[in-house]
Amino acid sequence: MKNEYRTKARSLIIEYLKGHSGKRFTAKEIFDAVKDDENTVSRTTIYRNLERLCDQGNLVKFKEPNQDSWFYQYSDTYQHCNTHMHAQCAVCGRIFHLEDVFLDGFAKKMKLVYGFDMDPSKSLIIGQCESCRRKAGKKIRNVDVEQ
């Protein structure tokens, strides 16, 4: 692995996203969060660093349905998010990394039944997380999962 020069902008981005690892942000939100009176980080620098951090597996990049903006989230223990699928809460935006045997079976069944070859790096299941369902007062049902 080659050594990469760490810029102030990259450090600010990583520090901010690590501190908020359960949430996702647009590039504009990240720019607004890391800029201050002493810091002259440009939007271009933010975008360039976000793309590099995605390429390196440090960030997850998502585009939500009916949204024009890309969203970024720190991937902490989930390096190389292009190897598994994700689920996202439609209410709070939290990203769930789905690394389960079920997903392999799901992808195989999609190909067998529909002739559809899935790309896990671009596959996103939208739903509602347990926390948001509780806040909304919705009953959470227990589901038996076959091993």
Side-chain angles (χ1 to χ4, degrees):
M1 183 177 199
K2 75 177 191 182
N3 279 340
E4 180 139 348
Y5 179 68
R6 279 210 168 213
T7 64
K8 183 178 180 180
R10 185 168 306 179
S11 296
L12 288 169
I13 293 168
I14 291 173
E15 182 181 316
Y16 179 73
L17 292 174
K18 269 186 182 180
H20 302 88
S21 63
K23 298 187 181 225
R24 49 60 167 153
F25 300 93
T26 64
K28 181 185 181 327
E29 291 169 330
I30 295 167
F31 173 73
D32 290 342
V34 301
K35 72 175 181 164
D36 60 26
D37 294 335
E38 300 170 16
N39 186 0
T40 58
V41 177
S42 70
R43 285 182 196 248
T44 304
T45 300
I46 296 293
Y47 281 104
R48 184 176 57 248
N49 278 284
L50 288 172
E51 289 305 315
R52 285 186 184 150
L53 290 166
C54 287
D55 291 343
Q56 294 167 353
N58 299 107
L59 301 182
V60 181
K61 179 180 175 182
F62 291 100
K63 187 157 186 154
E64 296 179 3
N66 304 319
Q67 294 287 327
D68 291 333
S69 299
W70 285 94
F71 292 89
Y72 301 87
Q73 183 176 12
Y74 186 70
S75 63
D76 55 14
T77 59
Y78 296 100
Q79 296 287 322
H80 309 294
C81 280
N82 60 343
T83 61
H84 59 264
M85 289 177 59
H86 298 89
Q88 181 176 26
C89 178
V91 177
C92 69
R94 183 172 172 210
I95 303 293
F96 297 85
H97 301 266
L98 306 176
E99 296 185 82
D100 191 359
V101 179
F102 163 78
L103 294 174
D104 290 336
F106 178 72
K108 287 176 187 173
K109 196 162 198 165
M110 287 290 292
K111 190 167 189 171
L112 179 69
V113 174
Y114 299 103
F116 188 81
D117 195 11
M118 291 179 53
D119 180 353
S121 68
K122 294 181 175 65
S123 299
L124 181 65
I125 298 171
I126 305 291
Q128 193 172 26
C129 72
E130 182 177 346
S131 177
C132 289
R133 283 194 318 271
R134 285 183 201 268
K135 288 177 188 173
K138 293 182 181 175
K139 189 173 183 176
I140 299 170
R141 37 179 209 134
N142 291 329
V143 178
D144 292 330
V145 179
E146 292 182 22
Q147 296 293 330

